[in-house]
Amino acid sequence: MASNPANLWVLLGLGLAGILLMTRKLKKAMREDFGAFVEKLLLLPPPQPAPPKAPHPLTGLTFVVSDVFDIEGYVTGFGHPDWVRTHDTASRTSPVVSALVEGGATCIGKTVVDELAYSINGENKHYGTPNNPAAPACVPGGSCSGAAVAVAANLVDFSLGLDSVGGVRVPAGFCGIIGFRPSYGTIPLFEILPVSASLDTVGWFAKDPNVLRHVGHLLLQLPFGIQRHPRQIIISEDCFQLLKIPVDRIMQVVIKSTEKLFGRQVLRHENLEDILFSKIPSLKQFYDKKTNDQLRNSSIRLLANVLLLLHRYEFRCNHGEWINVEKPNLDHHISAQINDTLEITDKDIEICYSIRNEMRAAIDSLLKDDGILVIPTTAYLPPKLGAKEMFLEDYQISSYSLLSIASLSGCCQVTIPLGHYDKRPVSVSFIARHGGDRFLLDTVQNMYASLQEHVDMLAKSKLSPDAESLERNAEMAKEKGNQAFKDKQWQKAVSYYTEAIRLSGKNATYYSNRAAAYLELGRM
């Protein structure tokens, strides 16, 4: 029996309508997950233990993992379709992921990473660049872009990433969330794709400092301990000089929060460059070898070169053979950097490893058990999508200079959001000695609310730009006075406090501080 043409048109119309509806749903789903996922899945936690046993510590929390962690039955994609094509499904799940699921959390997917988890920018031409919820026109940062975006967009409570040269810290800063890089070697790297053997660490993202801490206690297997407050918070002034936004936008928030919680005697200002140059003799070897006796370079900038050299060399050791055989379609910037390793000598690497060992000793000696080093997370605000500045030398060296401190020393670092500047997220980073992870997690928990409070106060400030500048300069003079006071340089302290009074004469603290310095001099 012949079909009715009218019915055919109806069926065709319904089919087209269905396709349009599905397309809209797919687009909506893509918008809703911000392009963070490469694979959605479900790993459910075990049943809760019967009372009187305590419930699982992460009960009710959801998480995702960057696509460098093995999950049984899935191919670990490494941010590149050619890797997926040439590798089998994982035969077991990474113990890190299993520990979180057994701890009560539910894993709901795998997230986008940069190509071969190599870059810190967050762009991926194969799977698309995840949308930065905190700054939609900007890159999300890499390498673990999707994991950061999933947390920033409130899709999950926390997420896992891999940090070698900033893979967790940079996207946390660019997406306005907390990112934690633990001490090197504290979390085993089984069933995780390697990037750079001497730099790789498992890291995690969260918005809530309590969630960050709970995840840390489980992964680091920390026993119960009494919380300790920092006895010194060291602000690295030369690191802040790399910042491309007003320094006080970050520094004053940290200073005011510290004074409120722990008192001004805890604060200290240092030039990290001087410390590193005196404590890391191998850095001079690297300088002499790489600069051919040109003008003296900054020790912090030299560390950026050390970090990049080590990262590229170890990456090629891990994956050079696969790249040579499969010839994957790589971003040309990544390809150029990987090929640049061909000229690296054994002597270069030997010096890099010496610097790495001396670096840990230098930072541990500076911070001891109760110190926190304060630096900017990144020198630049999150760049716009496709911006050329990401590939400029100053952007690269400034960024890696700051990232090198924890990466090379193996110390733990946390990225803490501090609101926005020019409608883009800004952040600060705290570093504690190697093995000081519990202390750093406790410090974040104790200071987080106060830091956000001072960010809000700064945003609501009604001061004119000129008045703000005077206020900032006065605070800087006061801080220098405080440092001189601690160093028992009384006359120098008086001079700094007098300068603060000249700039902002209505602040009673400046007068009382100067009076205390005068008393030490035996004068009124």
Side-chain angles (χ1 to χ4, degrees), residues 439-460:
F439 170 62
L440 187 56
L441 287 165
D442 288 347
T443 300
V444 175
Q445 188 186 40
N446 290 332
M447 292 190 69
Y448 190 81
S450 177
L451 289 166
Q452 304 313 311
E453 176 189 335
H454 283 96
V455 168
D456 292 341
M457 287 169 60
L458 188 67
K460 294 172 183 173

Side-chain angles (χ1 to χ4, degrees), residues 313-333:
Y313 171 78
E314 293 185 339
F315 181 90
R316 190 166 185 88
C317 287
N318 285 321
H319 307 299
E321 184 179 350
W322 177 81
I323 290 170
N324 291 336
V325 171
E326 297 299 335
K327 295 180 172 47
N329 177 19
L330 292 177
D331 177 271
H332 69 279
H333 293 288

Side-chain angles (χ1 to χ4, degrees), residues 238-292:
D238 45 353
C239 286
F240 275 94
Q241 287 170 12
L242 295 172
L243 202 56
K244 306 303 178 184
I245 66 170
V247 170
D248 297 351
R249 172 62 185 77
I250 296 176
M251 195 184 285
Q252 286 306 313
V253 170
V254 175
I255 288 170
K256 289 181 181 297
S257 179
T258 301
E259 287 181 339
K260 177 183 176 182
L261 294 172
F262 312 121
R264 67 172 182 267
Q265 73 281 356
V266 172
L267 283 164
R268 193 171 127 202
H269 293 252
E270 291 283 359
N271 275 331
L272 190 61
E273 180 177 321
D274 298 337
I275 295 168
L276 297 180
F277 215 77
S278 64
K279 298 283 187 182
I280 306 176
S282 296
L283 203 55
K284 187 177 187 306
Q285 278 184 274
F286 185 84
Y287 164 70
D288 289 341
K289 191 171 179 62
K290 290 295 170 190
T291 59
N292 299 319

Side-chain angles (χ1 to χ4, degrees), residues 20-144:
L20 284 170
L21 184 62
M22 284 302 297
T23 302
R24 285 174 185 167
K25 283 185 176 180
L26 281 170
K27 285 183 176 178
K28 184 180 179 185
M30 286 175 66
R31 285 197 302 271
E32 285 176 350
D33 71 16
F34 288 78
F37 289 81
V38 290
E39 192 109 41
K40 293 192 176 178
L41 50 88
L42 199 61
L43 300 181
L44 294 171
Q48 291 293 339
K53 289 185 177 179
H56 299 308
L58 303 182
T59 295
L61 299 181
T62 57
F63 73 105
V64 290
V65 301
S66 297
D67 199 15
V68 294
F69 292 83
D70 284 353
I71 293 181
E72 184 181 353
Y74 295 87
V75 178
T76 307
F78 212 19
H80 204 292
D82 288 336
W83 185 274
V84 175
R85 177 178 56 80
T86 56
H87 287 80
D88 296 328
T89 57
S91 59
R92 59 173 297 203
T93 298
S94 169
V96 177
V97 178
S98 297
L100 294 169
V101 173
E102 288 162 12
T106 300
C107 180
I108 66 167
K110 303 183 83 171
T111 51
V112 175
V113 295
D114 285 5
E115 284 186 43
L116 309 182
Y118 192 85
S119 169
I120 60 169
N121 299 331
E123 295 182 316
N124 189 314
K125 65 184 179 184
H126 306 288
Y127 297 104
T129 300
N131 302 318
N132 186 340
C138 298
V139 296
S143 60
C144 300

